[in-house]
Amino acid sequence: MTIKEYMTHNHKECDELLAQLENEVENANWDKVLKLSDEFKHETLKHFDMEESYLFPMFDEKSSTGGCGPTKVMKMEHDQARSIFPKIEEAIKDKDSDRFFGLSESLMILIQQHNSKEEQMLYTMIQNIFNNDNDTIVEKLQSYEFK
């Protein structure tokens, strides 16, 4: 598996959790909603952390962008997504499905556009730069622990 394949697969796993979460809200299964919301948030924030704490700094150093290139834009989009999570949690707490769906749609659009940029451009650039270190980096990503 390549770095690009691993990270793209991880995007799809987070997308699937959001789809499951939306399905449970649709069915008003609020007990499952809370658990899925926590899982979706954790996995999404873990993905962001893998990038911000591991992949992006390596890429910035090797590509000599100094953190002002594409990774800066990706981090800003991560922050935008992070800002939506508390609002979603509040909508879930209030069992307000209309508000939840408005917020989840905004988050989904943001994440889909963001993921597309990473998958089509940034991960390809990262893969090209670190192709010789692929296996070591994928092993590190697979065992990554998010605190």
Side-chain angles (χ1 to χ4, degrees), residues 60-76:
D60 290 339
E61 184 180 327
K62 202 76 161 181
S63 65
S64 302
T65 62
C68 294
T71 59
K72 183 176 181 181
V73 175
M74 296 300 104
K75 289 178 190 172
M76 287 179 357

Side-chain angles (χ1 to χ4, degrees), residues 71-120:
T71 59
K72 183 176 181 181
V73 175
M74 296 300 104
K75 289 178 190 172
M76 287 179 357
E77 291 178 0
H78 289 171
D79 288 341
Q80 287 177 316
R82 283 186 184 103
S83 73
I84 297 173
F85 280 111
K87 297 171 186 169
I88 286 177
E89 290 169 337
E90 189 177 309
I92 290 171
K93 181 181 160 203
D94 295 341
K95 298 182 180 179
D96 184 343
S97 59
D98 290 339
R99 184 157 186 257
F100 170 85
F101 281 115
L103 292 164
S104 72
E105 184 175 337
S106 296
L107 182 61
M108 185 184 67
I109 290 168
L110 173 68
I111 287 177
Q112 292 305 317
Q113 291 172 346
H114 172 83
N115 290 354
S116 178
K117 291 178 214 169
E118 287 184 338
E119 292 169 12
Q120 293 177 15

Side-chain angles (χ1 to χ4, degrees), residues 39 117 134:
E39 190 175 357
K117 291 178 214 169
N134 182 78

